[in-house]
Amino acid sequence: MRFVISAFTFLLLFSCGAAYDPLDPNGNITIKWDIMPWTPDGYVAVVTMHNYQMFRHIISPGWSLGWTWAKKEVMWSMVGAQATEQGDCSKFKGNIPHCCKKTPKVVDLLPSVPYNQQFTNCCKGGVVSSWGQDPANAVSAFQLSVGLAGTSNKTLKLPKNFTLLGPGPGYSCGPAKIVPSTSFLTPDRRRKTQALMTWNVTCTYSQFLARKNPNCCVSFSSFYNETITPCPTCACGCQNRNNCVKSDSKILSMVGLNTPRKDNAPLLQCTHHMCPVRVHWHVKVNYKDYWRVKIAITNFNYRMNYSLWTLAVQHPNLNNVTQVFSFDYKSLVPYGSINDTGMFHGMKYYNDLLMEAGPHGNVQSEVLLQKDKNTFTFKQGWAFPQKVYFNGDECMLPPPDTYPFLPNSAPPNQLPIPTLIFVLLILSIAIW
């Protein structure tokens, strides 16, 4: 009985904590439904999606939002988005609804749609920036007219079973909860109005739900050691290793190779780690009061461009970043006074697009950090990060015992010099 209780408690804690990110504890996507006017058979709602995640954004081909209607509701029309399927609307004559499915799925429109189909913060192909990188573009919205539904706060039933793909799996959404009605200011900012009814849906991300293996890995090197610590072998899984492409393969000259597939299936360059992305951290120079790091990000996927990429790093000396040369940098302080986390991302129109694998499939920058003389030391791997995230997914780091060691320290599995001299002395005395 005690074992069953312990196992149940472990599973409960794991299920609750799977979506918790220690570097972004408050990160989530909040979907807000605002009922604006009631209609003769339902209502018109404005649905707004806010991405409150600091370094995880929704990449192309964008988000997909689904739910289950509580009754027999239909969507008469939509502005700023569209349902992927119309469903069976055969019982309607004359005015045909936009969607009659019990479980509709909605996607954003493309930027090229006519103006009369657009809505505020819509039509970006489902791409939503992260809150930490670009708060102004961390929102997406659309409007829909719902029929065969309740026409008051008492008769309306909230949708349920919300799902969010962004664009793949990983997000789990809670139930809809009624919250205080949203307030709006008129354009002249002299009058305040409010929605007739508002409910929120909160979706959190879990890397365990998104994929079985990591999506990136980290390698290390330093000026004080010739050894390069590579990514761990099969860091991102080797189950597709037979399907990878060698860098000198003739298939790379085929037309249309770099065209993304609808299922986002990767076409990876053959490596020992088999990761789509590798982050390399190189300790470059050691000055008296400063030290310099070079960060390089390499794309090994021939079918994927990473736009608006982000790199989040946890390192104790990020509280003393002096200059970042080729990336934009923003400090992240998830726990108040502890300033050991920062986010790097590309400069707009310069290196904010990480190209697919090949000659242009990498971006790099150097970082200058001021030393804290009370705590600074290169010993025991202090110069290397504790956690690295690419586009919000945690990357696999090498084992700590493989980090580049200082020349005046003993390499792993080797006896220190004093110990070796002592052993030789004891042996010589014994032989004498």
Side-chain angles (χ1 to χ4, degrees):
M1 185 64 180
R2 184 177 299 175
F3 173 77
V4 173
I5 295 175
S6 301
F8 177 77
T9 304
F10 174 79
L11 291 175
L12 182 63
L13 290 173
F14 182 81
S15 62
C16 295
Y20 175 76
D21 191 336
L23 298 191
D24 190 13
N26 300 315
N28 65 70
I29 291 182
T30 300
I31 304 166
K32 182 176 65 173
W33 289 57
D34 290 314
I35 307 301
M36 305 311 286
W38 300 108
T39 60
D41 69 337
Y43 57 88
V44 174
V46 173
V47 181
T48 308
M49 182 184 304
H50 292 276
N51 183 11
Y52 292 117
Q53 299 174 110
M54 294 303 294
F55 45 80
R56 182 179 296 108
H57 62 283
I58 298 178
I59 63 175
S60 179
W63 54 263
S64 174
L65 179 64
W67 62 84
T68 302
W69 290 117
K71 297 192 288 187
K72 297 182 179 181
E73 294 91 337
V74 296
M75 289 191 287
W76 285 113
S77 62
M78 296 192 72
V79 182
Q82 63 182 359
T84 57
E85 296 182 48
Q86 184 184 40
D88 183 8
C89 297
S90 58
K91 66 179 181 180
F92 293 91
K93 297 181 180 180
N95 191 13
I96 305 298
H98 175 77
C99 178
C100 300
K101 287 185 68 69
K102 179 75 171 179
T103 57
K105 287 189 176 180
V106 175
V107 295
D108 194 13
L109 297 179
L110 299 176
S112 58
V113 298
Y115 288 111
N116 61 352
Q117 298 180 26
Q118 296 186 16
F119 192 73
T120 306
N121 291 315
C122 86
C123 312
K124 296 178 283 189
V127 175
V128 183
S129 298
S130 62
W131 186 260
Q133 185 175 4
D134 189 0
N137 290 309
V139 59
S140 184
F142 59 90
Q143 178 181 282
L144 74 162
S145 176
V146 182
L148 304 184
T151 56
S152 69
N153 293 24
K154 295 183 178 179
T155 58
L156 186 146
K157 298 293 183 182
L158 305 186
K160 52 187 179 180
N161 300 332
F162 282 87
T163 60
L164 175 64
L165 299 178
Y171 287 95
S172 56
C173 301
K177 295 182 179 180
I178 297 176
V179 296
S181 297
T182 306
S183 296
F184 305 94
L185 284 174
T186 55
D188 61 7
R189 306 186 68 84
R190 300 178 64 185
R191 171 176 164 78
K192 182 184 292 185
T193 61
Q194 69 178 41
L196 303 179
M197 184 179 182
T198 299
W199 64 81
N200 282 351
V201 177
T202 302
C203 302
T204 56
Y205 181 84
S206 169
Q207 190 170 340
F208 299 104
L209 297 177
R211 59 186 59 86
K212 182 174 65 174
N213 299 305
N215 205 34
C216 53
C217 65
V218 183
S219 56
F220 295 141
S221 63
S222 64
F223 68 91
Y224 52 75
N225 194 309
E226 295 181 355
T227 303
I228 297 177
T229 302
C231 286
T233 301
C234 294
C236 299
C238 286
Q239 64 274 12
N240 295 321
R241 192 161 189 173
N242 295 331
N243 300 326
C244 64
V245 178
K246 294 183 179 180
S247 58
D248 58 349
S249 174
K250 293 182 179 179
I251 195 175
L252 299 180
S253 60
M254 292 179 58
V255 178
L257 174 73
N258 304 119
T259 304
R261 286 176 39 168
K262 291 183 179 180
D263 59 358
N264 279 336
L267 181 64
L268 298 183
Q269 180 178 326
C270 293
T271 59
H272 73 280
H273 53 76
M274 289 302 294
C275 290
V277 173
R278 182 194 66 196
V279 179
H280 186 73
W281 180 281
H282 174 64
V283 182
K284 187 174 182 179
V285 185
N286 181 25
Y287 304 110
K288 179 181 178 181
D289 296 320
Y290 299 90
W291 60 294
R292 186 187 291 254
V293 173
K294 183 177 181 180
I295 302 173
I297 309 172
T298 306
N299 183 4
F300 291 95
N301 189 350
Y302 287 103
R303 285 203 183 110
M304 183 72 174
N305 286 334
Y306 293 95
S307 59
L308 303 176
W309 58 266
T310 61
L311 184 72
V313 178
Q314 185 181 34
H315 189 285
N317 203 202
L318 286 182
N319 59 341
N320 287 322
V321 172
T322 302
Q323 187 174 359
V324 180
F325 293 89
S326 301
F327 294 162
D328 284 329
Y329 176 77
K330 180 176 182 178
S331 177
L332 304 176
V333 190
Y335 299 105
S337 60
I338 304 176
N339 184 13
D340 65 348
T341 307
M343 180 181 69
F344 301 90
H345 56 92
M347 297 179 179
K348 199 168 186 179
Y349 308 122
Y350 174 60
N351 57 1
D352 57 339
L353 179 65
L354 177 57
M355 301 292 288
E356 70 271 357
H360 305 291
N362 70 88
V363 291
Q364 52 190 327
S365 176
E366 295 187 4
V367 184
L368 188 66
L369 304 101
Q370 186 176 9
K371 295 180 181 179
D372 184 347
K373 296 181 180 180
N374 295 323
T375 60
F376 185 85
T377 174
F378 276 141
K379 295 180 179 180
Q380 299 176 348
W382 189 94
F384 302 102
Q386 299 167 351
K387 285 182 179 290
V388 175
Y389 289 66
F390 180 79
N391 275 359
D393 283 338
E394 186 173 357
C395 304
M396 177 172 283
L397 273 67
D401 59 349
T402 64
Y403 287 13
F405 56 86
L406 290 168
N408 59 354
S409 63
N413 302 324
Q414 180 174 321
L415 289 174
I417 297 299
T419 305
L420 185 60
I421 294 174
F422 179 76
V423 171
L424 291 175
L425 181 61
I426 294 297
L427 289 174
S428 64
I429 293 174
I431 295 173
W432 182 264

